[in-house]
Amino acid sequence: MNSVFSNKGTIAVFVLPTLILFCGIVLIPIFVSSYYSLLDWNGVGRGTFIGLDNYVEMFKDTRVLNSIKNSLLFAGASVFIQLPISLVLALILASNVKGEGFYRTVYFIPVLISTVVIAQLWSKIYNADYGLLNVLLQSIGLSSLAQDWLGQKDTALEASFIPTLWQYVGYHMLLMYAGAKSVSQDVLEAARMDGASRLRTAWSIMIPLMKPILKVSLVFSVIGAFKVFDLIYVLTGGGPFYTTEVPSTLMYATIFDTFRYGYGSAISVFIIVECLVCTILINSLFKTE
């Protein structure tokens, strides 16, 4: 077996099917979109080559800039709210609490549910007339706080954060839980013998040793925030008045509503570059000797 897998020709044969699939699904569409982004094209007939004009227009468009700001806010909420919650839950479950398997399954269930279903569920919770949130506020004497959470500019964006954070807390928790469980029990036993508390052990030993899995969770969280589409599209459609619009929903509207395929492709290329740059930055932050 070692002689087979040391043969470069054999390696190429095994890698080739996956490489072809990857090129067909990922690389070729990226290059095609990059080409379309240089055109003034309505999706029918021949497009007109206009160079970088779509990109120049994109960075002058206040609607695009607002969508980028919203995606950055999503990323910030994911990093500073979602991941800390996931880490705390993972560390608690990894400490051999009673019912560990049950809680691990319960927290992961939202990840298995379709995002469209999640969006429909939360749209009912936020409903101004019969939504659970308003009913709860009224039942505890806070009727003045009841409002149309997704229909007002002041609350729509924050209300859109919560379903995304809630859905993927369990996903990141499971990744971190696996990382916490991989920490050697000998190291933890030595810390306990030295008198380290649970909090001190978690902060000084477990979290540093979980650094690789924390990097993975951070990359997934940031890229997921930049690519978020279906939940926003179903919840608000980018409204009200583009308050919750993100680059992916704007790209969809630009291509399929206004038929500006070139401009929409420029937005899609920006999303790809944004995700790539953030991934490189995160990897450099976690780089060790």
Side-chain angles (χ1 to χ4, degrees):
M1 185 61 70
N2 289 333
S3 63
V4 171
F5 284 105
S6 63
N7 187 310
K8 292 183 179 180
T10 303
I11 295 173
V13 170
F14 280 101
V15 169
L16 187 59
T18 303
L19 180 61
I20 293 173
L21 188 64
F22 178 77
C23 289
I25 295 177
V26 179
L27 290 184
I28 293 176
I30 289 176
F31 286 119
V32 172
S33 293
S34 300
Y35 170 69
Y36 287 160
S37 70
L38 304 177
L39 304 177
D40 180 12
W41 185 43
N42 63 1
V44 181
R46 297 185 61 182
T48 304
F49 183 81
I50 57 174
L52 299 177
D53 288 358
N54 283 326
Y55 293 97
V56 174
E57 180 184 352
M58 183 176 67
F59 287 108
K60 291 181 179 179
D61 190 342
T62 56
R63 189 174 169 186
V64 173
L65 297 177
N66 180 68
S67 70
I68 294 172
K69 182 197 73 172
N70 289 342
S71 69
L72 292 174
L73 291 174
F74 262 96
S78 297
V79 172
F80 296 108
I81 299 177
Q82 184 183 69
L83 293 187
I85 293 174
S86 299
L87 179 59
V88 170
L89 291 175
L91 292 175
I92 292 174
L93 291 182
S95 62
N96 299 318
V97 298
K98 187 176 180 181
E100 176 181 336
F102 170 77
Y103 290 114
R104 188 174 65 236
T105 302
V106 168
Y107 287 130
F108 192 72
I109 286 176
V111 182
L112 304 176
I113 303 174
S114 166
T115 305
V116 175
V117 175
I118 296 290
Q120 289 288 350
L121 170 66
W122 281 89
S123 67
K124 300 300 184 292
I125 293 175
Y126 287 135
N127 188 277
D129 298 320
Y130 56 82
L132 179 63
L133 180 56
N134 282 345
V135 171
L136 179 62
L137 290 173
Q138 291 167 2
S139 66
I140 59 176
L142 297 176
S143 301
S144 59
L145 297 179
Q147 56 189 294
D148 186 2
W149 299 94
L150 296 175
Q152 298 188 57
K153 295 175 64 175
D154 295 336
T155 58
L157 185 62
E158 291 78 5
S160 300
F161 287 161
I162 297 175
T164 303
L165 302 181
W166 172 77
Q167 182 179 15
Y168 288 104
V169 159
Y171 176 78
H172 295 290
M173 181 214 69
L174 197 62
L175 291 177
M176 296 176 188
Y177 170 82
K181 280 294 189 179
S182 67
V183 176
S184 173
Q185 291 298 316
D186 294 338
V187 176
L188 300 179
E189 184 63 29
R192 283 192 288 269
M193 291 179 64
D194 287 340
S197 64
R198 286 181 178 270
L199 184 60
R200 184 66 176 177
T201 301
W203 180 258
S204 300
I205 298 176
M206 296 192 70
I207 292 179
L209 291 176
M210 291 168 59
K211 195 174 180 180
I213 202 67
L214 292 177
K215 181 184 75 172
V216 171
S217 286
L218 183 58
V219 170
F220 285 175
S221 181
V222 171
I223 291 179
F226 288 156
K227 297 192 305 177
V228 63
F229 169 76
D230 41 6
L231 188 137
I232 297 296
Y233 185 77
V234 176
L235 267 182
T236 64
F241 305 107
Y242 313 124
T243 304
T244 60
E245 197 163 52
V246 290
S248 55
T249 58
L250 178 57
M251 175 197 69
Y252 180 88
T254 301
I255 292 176
F256 296 105
D257 292 345
T258 62
F259 301 103
R260 297 190 63 190
Y261 279 74
Y263 191 51
S265 296
I267 298 174
S268 71
V269 171
F270 170 79
I271 296 172
I272 295 170
V273 173
E274 184 182 35
C275 293
L276 180 61
V277 169
C278 285
T279 301
I280 293 172
L281 288 176
I282 292 171
N283 284 328
S284 65
L285 288 174
F286 280 82
K287 188 176 181 180
T288 57
E289 295 295 336

